[in-house]
Amino acid sequence: MIKATPKPLEEIINYVKDFNKILVAGCDGCVTVCEAGGMKEAKVLGSALRLYFTQAGKDHEVVETTVTRQCDKEYLAELKDMVENADAVVSIACGCGIQYLTEMYNDKIVFPGVDTHFMGINADRGIFEERCAGCGQCVLASTGGICPIARCSKRMLNGPCGGSEAGKCEISKDTPCGWHLIYERLEKLGQVDRFTQPVDPKNWRTSRDGGPRVIIREDLRKAEPQHGSAHS
Amino acid sequence: MRLQYPTDIHIIKVPCTGRVDLFHLLQAFEQGADGVFVAGCLEGDCHYMHGNLYARKRVERAKEILAATGIGRDRVEMYNLSAGQGTRWAEICREFDERIRNLGPSPIRFAHEKKAA
Ligand code: SF4
Ligand code: SF4
């Protein structure tokens, strides 16, 4: 899921300090799992902002809530009254949710309350690791199920590079070399011949190189009423 | 053993300090508490394994938040003692009471009183 971390409180206070009515909007999706933007975090942020405003002697009304997902307009619609009643909104959903909320309530000022980092896994309590960079054309089938884009610091398709040492990446002794992992896994699978031929360059247009991306799945789209149908 | 400790300390019992969440600590301040301390079992002695260690981390987070909001980080503290240390309990209460008296009333209580007046 998407991994985010709460922004420093000082930064959020700085955004909202000149507003009176503030809505803290959390999301029950990914950011609840990584404990950055769920109900608990909304309550903490709401409480912290009330403490700040009260001690500063400023009039205020801070309320907090969450919706099932801020990346769906059906759920964002539930916020209508609360958003309308607020002077500013702090969204603690991921960057997608924050933007969709902004798009839906276009005349409202919306601030980000988290920093969104990557798509990753929960390695342990409080440890989140990146696994996929959303390149749009998955190559895991030929890399032993280990992603060279997300897990090689140089995103190389023909690794490892000369910086790989004792299984670690040259950027840090704490970072496993993605290509070392790929080699070990392919060796286990008896597929190391993959390394005898360089692979062709990847089509990066499916990644960010093609600009902002949109997926249109015709099979999922709403069916248009058909001409001449019995119901028309 | 009849030990004296300051009478204006309000005790909220929880089964384990691991139950104390960050927003519980903040809510106490919102309601006008001048200071809050969490008294957990000795480290290594938690009946639920790690409850008191989690509590300490939350108290640390509460300190950061209270500092950023202008309430001050010293108004919240974590102590560890066993159920058998009555003398230590009384000592902690006096120590914390004195610390908070030196800091004076919480700005939140001031604001509440001003509003009520
Ligand atoms: S808005 Fe972001 S955090 Fe919330 S469910 Fe959607 S993707 Fe996940
Ligand atoms: S190859 Fe692309 S889609 Fe597959 S895991 Fe890596 S970044 Fe994600």
Side-chain angles (χ1 to χ4, degrees), chain A residues 100-143:
Chain A
Y100 211 22
L101 191 150
T102 309
E103 220 172 296
M104 283 244 338
Y105 300 104
N106 219 256
D107 53 354
K108 209 50 79 170
I109 297 185
V110 181
F111 296 110
V114 300
D115 291 315
T116 304
H117 301 276
F118 50 72
M119 284 185 270
I121 51 103
N122 309 318
D124 200 345
R125 199 163 153 70
I127 300 182
F128 311 110
E129 292 177 359
E130 185 169 16
R131 284 291 187 274
C132 171
C135 76
Q137 201 180 65
C138 194
V139 301
L140 287 177
S142 64
T143 57

Side-chain angles (χ1 to χ4, degrees), chain A residues 9-10 13 40 43-44 46-52 54-55 59 125, chain B residues 21-23 26-27 29-30 54 65-66 68-71 107-108 111:
Chain A
L9 186 56
E10 290 85 347
I13 289 176
K40 255 189 184 181
K43 276 165 96 172
V44 167
S47 187
L49 292 178
R50 280 189 292 275
L51 287 173
Y52 163 75
T54 309
Q55 66 80 34
D59 274 346
R125 199 163 153 70
Chain B
D21 227 310
L22 189 50
F23 64 83
L26 300 181
Q27 266 165 12
F29 285 97
E30 274 199 68
Y54 286 131
I65 291 173
L66 292 175
T69 53
I71 311 294
I108 302 301

Side-chain angles (χ1 to χ4, degrees), chain A residues 13 21 24 30 35 60 63 78 87 89 108 113 133 141 143 155 160-161 167 169 177 180-181 185 197 199 207 222 230:
Chain A
I13 289 176
K21 292 177 166 182
V24 175
C30 318
E35 299 186 42
H60 64 279
V63 288
E78 294 169 5
D87 301 328
V89 182
K108 209 50 79 170
T143 57
R155 303 179 165 218
C161 73
C169 172
C177 162
H180 187 95
L181 297 175
R185 172 96 166 107
Q197 290 283 339
V199 299
S207 182
K222 256 188 253 167

Side-chain angles (χ1 to χ4, degrees), chain A residues 2 27 29-31 68-71 93-94 96-97:
Chain A
I2 293 182
C27 175
C30 318
V31 288
T68 306
R69 288 192 296 271
Q70 285 194 27
C71 49
C94 74
C96 307

Side-chain angles (χ1 to χ4, degrees), chain A residues 49-102:
Chain A
L49 292 178
R50 280 189 292 275
L51 287 173
Y52 163 75
F53 283 115
T54 309
Q55 66 80 34
K58 295 182 181 178
D59 274 346
H60 64 279
E61 194 186 308
V62 179
V63 288
E64 53 266 4
T65 190
T66 65
V67 291
T68 306
R69 288 192 296 271
Q70 285 194 27
C71 49
D72 270 313
K73 57 173 171 294
E74 289 77 5
Y75 295 117
L76 283 174
E78 294 169 5
L79 290 177
K80 190 167 186 285
D81 293 342
M82 289 178 110
V83 173
E84 268 166 17
N85 189 45
D87 301 328
V89 182
V90 179
S91 167
I92 52 175
C94 74
C96 307
I98 302 169
Q99 290 183 64
Y100 211 22
L101 191 150
T102 309

